[in-house]
C-alpha cells in the first residue's frame, strides 16, 4: 500500500480512522488545533483525546454556490459526537433536503482524494448516514 | 436632558446600490458633509472621528479628512467585520461620554456592488504534492471539504440549528421573513432594491445555500452612512430645533462571544447578541416590550429568525410563533427591519451599523415619510460581525 496522508492532521488514519482533539485538562473544552491557552478557562495544559466516530446531525446546509472547482451541491453540517461538535460534510448521500433530518444518526467515513506526483494518497473524512 | 448623556445631533445615509462613477471617498464625503449639515455644525466643531471600511486600504479616516477637512483631531480607523459601523459609533460615543470632547463624527463606507461570495469564494492552488500546512496541517484548502466557509451556508446552519433546538421551523418560515423585508423596502427610496417578491418567487428563486435562496441573502452594494454625536451639556446650548431633533443614545454596547461548546466550530451569533441586549436594556432602563421598532442584522433570512429570540423580542424558543403571529411586520407589535433590512436595503458592510441607526433616528424624529412607524419613541439597532462582534444601540426620541 502506498503512503497515505490525511486531509488534516486531526484525522488519524489506520484500521479505525478517527478524529483527535486537544482537550483542556482543567475544563474539558476541546479544540481541533493548538491553543496557547484554553478559550474557556485559560488553563494552559492540554491532552490529545479521541473523538467519538458516531454522532447526530446538529445542523446543516445544502451548499449550491461555492468556490470554482468545488462540486456542488454538497451538504455542510455540524455533528454532535458525544458532546463534541465537529464540522464536516455529510457524504454518501444525495444532497436534497428530504434526505436529511436534523438529529439523524451519522458516522465517520473516509475516502481517497487521489495520489500526488510522488504517489502519496490523500485521505479525507466526512460523516455518512449510519445504517 | 442630563449633561452626561450622549445624543445623535445629525445623521445621514447615502442611497445604497451601485455607484459606478463614485469611489469610497466620494460616498464617505457625501455622508459626512450631510450629517454635519443635518446637525447644523461644521467639521471644525468635531473633537474626534472614527471611520470604518472593511474592504479597503489603511487610513480611511485620514483619507476622508483630506476630502472634507484636516483639523488635527484624533482619528480612529476601526474594523470589526459587519459590526464595523457600530464600532465606529461606539468609539465616538465613548470619547464624548468620557468628557474628552463635545462633538464627534462616526462614518462607515463600503463599495461592494457585484462582489459575490465574501468568504469561501476562491481557492488557492495546492500544488502537485500533498503538503500539510497551517494550524490544522491541511494538505488543501478545507472549505467545501470540511463544511463551508461561505456566509450563506454558515448562516443557513445557524438558522437550522435553532430549528433543531426548538423544533418546528420550515423553509417557508424563513422565506416569509424575506417576503416581509422586501415588501418593506418598497417604501424606502434609499434601498438598493425596492422590489416586492411573492413567497413563491422567493422559494423558487436560485438556491444559494439551503434554505437561503438568492433574495434571502443580503445584497452586496455600495453606500455610506455618517453620524454626528454631541454631549448633553453642549446640546443644552444649541437651538430648540436642534434639541427637538436630537436622538438620545440610551445605550451603546459592544460584545464578543463568550466561550461555549461548538462556538469555534460554527460561529455562535446567539450568546453575544443576548449579552449585548441584556447590557443594553439594563443601561437604557427599558425592556424589549418598550421598543417601537427594531433594525436587526438580517444578513440572511435564517439570521433574522434567531435574533427575535436573542434580542428578547419573544420568549426563549418562540421565534417561529413570533413570526407567524405577525409581530415583526410593519403593523405588528414590534416592527423589524421596516427599512427593508440587509436583504433589500443592502449591506455595504462598514456602513450598515450606522445606516441601521439612521433608520431608527428617522422614525424617532417623525421624518420617515410613507414608512413612518407612528408615534415611535424608542428603537434598537443591532449588528453582528462574524468573528464575532455584536453592536447594540438603543435610541430614544427627544423629550422636547
Amino acid at each position: 500500500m502506498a503512503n497515505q496522508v490525511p486531509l488534516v492532521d486531526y484525522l488519524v488514519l489506520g484500521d479505525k480512522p478517527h478524529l483527535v482533539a486537544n482537550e483542556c485538562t482543567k475544563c474539558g473544552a476541546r479544540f481541533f488545533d493548538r491553543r496557547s491557552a484554553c478559550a474557556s478557562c485559560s488553563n494552559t495544559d492540554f491532552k490529545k483525546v479521541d473523538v467519538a466516530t458516531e454522532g447526530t446531525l446538529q445542523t446543516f446546509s445544502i451548499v449550491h454556490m461555492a468556490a470554482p472547482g468545488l462540486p456542488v451541491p454538497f451538504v455542510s453540517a455540524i455533528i454532535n459526537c458525544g458532546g463534541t461538535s465537529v464540522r464536516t460534510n455529510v457524504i454518501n448521500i444525495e444532497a436534497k433536503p428530504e434526505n436529511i433530518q436534523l438529529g439523524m444518526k451519522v458516522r465517520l467515513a473516509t475516502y481517497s482524494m487521489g495520489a500526488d506526483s510522488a504517489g502519496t494518497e490523500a485521505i479525507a473524512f466526512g460523516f455518512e448516514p449510519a445504517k | 436632558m442630563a449633561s452626561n448623556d450622549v445624543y445623535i445631533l445629525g445623521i445621514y445615509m447615502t442611497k445604497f446600490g451601485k455607484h459606478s462613477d463614485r469611489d469610497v471617498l466620494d460616498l464617505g464625503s457625501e455622508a459626512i458633509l450631510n450629517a454635519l449639515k443635518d446637525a447644523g455644525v461644521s467639521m471644525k466643531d468635531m473633537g474626534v472621528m472614527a471611520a470604518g471600511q472593511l474592504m479597503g486600504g489603511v487610513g480611511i479616516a485620514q483619507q476622508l479628512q483630506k476630502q472634507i477637512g484636516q483639523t488635527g483631531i484624533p482619528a480612529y480607523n476601526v474594523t470589526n467585520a459587519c459590526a464595523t459601523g457600530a464600532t465606529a459609533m461606539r468609539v465616538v460615543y465613548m470619547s464624548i461620554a468620557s468628557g474628552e470632547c463635545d462633538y464627534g463624527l462616526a462614518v462607515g463606507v463600503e463599495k461592494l456592488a457585484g462582489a459575490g461570495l465574501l468568504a469561501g469564494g476562491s481557492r488557492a492552488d495546492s500544488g502537485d504534492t500533498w503538503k500539510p500546512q497551517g494550524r490544522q496541517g491541511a494538505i488543501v484548502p478545507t472549505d467545501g471539504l470540511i463544511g463551508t466557509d461561505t456566509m450563506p451556508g454558515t448562516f443557513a446552519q445557524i438558522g437550522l440549528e435553532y430549528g433543531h433546538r426548538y423544533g418546528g421551523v420550515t423553509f417557508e418560515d424563513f422565506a416569509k421573513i424575506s417576503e416581509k423585508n422586501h415588501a418593506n423596502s418598497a417604501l424606502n427610496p434609499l434601498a438598493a432594491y425596492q422590489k416586492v417578491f411573492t413567497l413563491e418567487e422567493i422559494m423558487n428563486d436560485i438556491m444559494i445555500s439551503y434554505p437561503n435562496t438568492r433574495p434571502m441573502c443580503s445584497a452586496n452594494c455600495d453606500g455610506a452612512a455618517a453620524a454626528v454625536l454631541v454631549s448633553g451639556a453642549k446640546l443644552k446650548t444649541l437651538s430648540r430645533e436642534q434639541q427637538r431633533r436630537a436622538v438620545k443614545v440610551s445605550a451603546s454596547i459592544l460584545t464578543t462571544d463568550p466561550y461555549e461548546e461548538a462556538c469555534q466550530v460554527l460561529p455562535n451569533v446567539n450568546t453575544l447578541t443576548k449579552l449585548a441586549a441584556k447590557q443594553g436594556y439594563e443601561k437604557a432602563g427599558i425592556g424589549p416590550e418598550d421598543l417601537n421598532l427594531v433594525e436587526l442584522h438580517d444578513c440572511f433570512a435564517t439570521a433574522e429568525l434567531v435574533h427575535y429570540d436573542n434580542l428578547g423580542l419573544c420568549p426563549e424558543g418562540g421565534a417561529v410563533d413570533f413570526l407567524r403571529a405577525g409581530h415583526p411586520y410593519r403593523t405588528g407589535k414590534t416592527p423589524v427591519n421596516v427599512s427593508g433590512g440587509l436583504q433589500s436595503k443592502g449591506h455595504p458592510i462598514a456602513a450598515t451599523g450606522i445606516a441601521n441607526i439612521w433608520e431608527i433616528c428617522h422614525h424617532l424624529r417623525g421624518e420617515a415619510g410613507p414608512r413612518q412607524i407612528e408615534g415611535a419613541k424608542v428603537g434598537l439597532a443591532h449588528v453582528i460581525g462574524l468573528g464575532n462582534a455584536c453592536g447594540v444601540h438603543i435610541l430614544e426620541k427627544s423629550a422636547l
Side-chain angles (χ1 to χ4, degrees):
Chain A
M1 195 175 180
N3 286 334
Q4 290 187 331
V5 60
L7 169 59
V8 284
D9 61 15
Y10 63 88
L11 169 64
V12 177
L13 302 177
D15 292 342
K16 291 182 179 173
H18 62 278
L19 305 180
V20 291
N22 294 308
E23 183 179 282
C24 172
T25 55
K26 190 171 162 196
C27 77
R30 291 179 170 185
F31 306 93
F32 285 104
D33 57 66
R34 64 185 187 274
R35 289 291 176 278
S36 305
C38 176
S40 179
C41 74
S42 297
N43 174 47
T44 55
D45 292 324
F46 297 88
K47 64 179 180 187
K48 293 275 181 200
V49 290
D50 293 349
V51 176
T53 55
E54 296 191 342
T56 55
L57 186 91
Q58 203 69 13
T59 189
F60 73 98
S61 177
I62 302 172
V63 180
H64 290 255
M65 185 187 236
L70 281 174
V72 288
F74 65 88
V75 181
S76 172
I78 304 297
I79 311 300
N80 178 350
C81 293
T84 300
S85 293
V86 176
R87 176 177 149 155
T88 188
N89 284 8
V90 178
I91 60 173
N92 303 331
I93 191 172
E94 197 183 354
K96 289 184 171 176
E98 56 267 32
N99 293 341
I100 305 160
Q101 288 84 41
L102 293 166
M104 69 190 278
K105 294 201 180 317
V106 291
R107 65 182 172 214
L108 186 94
T110 58
Y111 61 94
S112 174
M113 296 172 64
D116 66 10
S117 57
T120 303
E121 183 187 24
I123 305 293
F125 74 94
F127 280 72
E128 64 181 8
K131 303 292 187 301
Chain B
M1 59 193 71
S3 295
N4 57 356
D5 285 338
V6 177
Y7 292 78
I8 293 167
L9 188 63
I11 190 161
Y12 183 87
M13 72 171 270
T14 67
K15 162 81 178 168
F16 280 8
K18 189 169 185 176
H19 293 277
S20 314
D21 55 344
R22 304 176 71 208
D23 63 17
V24 288
L25 300 183
D26 294 323
L27 292 169
S29 299
E30 178 192 333
I32 293 170
L33 293 174
N34 283 283
L36 289 166
K37 189 176 168 190
D38 186 48
V41 294
S42 76
M43 193 63 197
K44 287 192 173 64
D45 296 310
M46 297 302 107
V48 64
M49 175 176 180
Q53 181 199 6
L54 198 64
M55 304 290 192
V58 295
I60 185 67
Q62 291 87 337
Q63 289 181 54
L64 284 166
Q65 286 179 337
K66 290 177 175 66
Q67 297 288 320
I68 46 106
Q70 294 173 247
T71 56
I73 57 174
Y76 299 89
N77 292 290
V78 302
T79 61
N80 227 345
C82 301
T84 293
T87 304
M89 278 294 287
R90 181 163 160 74
V91 167
V92 172
Y93 170 92
M94 289 191 300
S95 297
I96 294 173
S98 75
E100 198 172 290
C101 54
D102 277 324
Y103 289 108
L105 174 67
V107 60
V109 59
E110 209 80 61
K111 284 208 62 154
L112 275 183
L117 290 169
L118 299 184
S122 62
R123 312 190 77 208
D125 184 7
S126 51
D128 67 350
T129 54
W130 307 122
K131 197 169 104 187
Q133 290 180 43
R135 296 185 75 96
Q136 296 188 330
I139 56 169
V140 294
T142 57
D143 170 44
L145 296 176
I146 304 179
T148 185
D149 286 347
T150 65
M151 292 296 110
T154 299
F155 279 94
Q157 292 176 95
I158 287 167
L160 290 182
E161 196 269 338
Y162 187 89
H164 181 49
R165 198 168 349 141
Y166 299 110
V169 58
T170 64
F171 176 28
E172 185 173 318
D173 288 320
F174 292 121
K176 275 183 180 163
I177 290 172
S178 193
E179 180 193 25
K180 165 182 76 70
N181 291 355
H182 285 289
N184 285 344
S185 74
L187 297 173
N188 184 356
L190 297 185
Y193 299 97
Q194 290 184 265
K195 181 171 157 44
V196 175
F197 290 82
T198 65
L199 192 60
E200 290 69 32
E201 284 172 333
I202 291 169
M203 294 176 74
N204 292 322
D205 206 307
I206 295 168
M207 183 59 74
I208 303 296
S209 206
Y210 179 87
N212 286 319
T213 63
R214 185 174 53 180
M216 295 162 74
C217 300
S218 52
N220 288 330
C221 65
D222 308 332
V228 172
L229 275 63
V230 64
S231 67
K234 177 59 79 175
L235 182 60
K236 283 179 184 172
T237 70
L238 301 181
S239 73
R240 186 170 172 80
E241 181 62 3
Q242 284 168 309
Q243 292 182 28
R244 186 189 66 76
R245 293 182 74 248
V247 169
K248 183 181 171 190
V249 183
S250 301
S252 174
I253 307 294
L254 187 67
T255 57
T256 53
D257 55 319
Y259 180 84
E260 195 171 90
E261 202 285 318
C263 78
Q264 295 191 12
V265 177
L266 178 69
N268 188 332
V269 300
N270 304 317
T271 48
L272 76 168
T273 298
K274 286 177 181 168
L275 186 61
K278 180 172 180 287
Q279 291 177 6
Y281 294 138
E282 280 175 12
K283 169 87 174 161
I286 63 167
E289 65 283 357
D290 300 319
L291 299 172
N292 300 117
L293 75 160
V294 171
E295 287 286 305
L296 62 73
H297 203 70
D298 65 319
C299 48
F300 299 91
T302 46
E304 176 162 326
L305 186 89
V306 304
H307 295 313
Y308 296 153
D309 197 324
N310 293 330
L311 293 171
L313 308 183
C314 64
E316 185 183 341
V320 175
D321 292 341
F322 180 80
L323 173 70
R324 291 180 183 170
H327 296 319
Y329 287 74
R330 278 189 56 80
T331 50
K333 74 172 185 182
T334 314
V336 173
N337 291 333
V338 295
S339 66
L342 279 52
Q343 290 166 64
S344 38
K345 180 178 70 176
H347 185 23
I349 297 177
T352 294
I354 299 174
N356 288 356
I357 290 170
W358 177 88
E359 180 69 22
I360 303 284
C361 289
H362 227 45
H363 291 269
L364 300 183
R365 289 166 156 186
E367 297 173 357
R371 71 178 186 286
Q372 176 71 39
I373 298 298
E374 288 305 325
K377 289 188 170 60
V378 188
L380 183 150
H382 158 264
V383 285
I384 280 278
L386 273 199
N388 298 342
C390 176
V392 161
H393 285 87
I394 296 177
L395 306 162
E396 287 186 80
K397 181 185 171 67
S398 160
L400 287 184

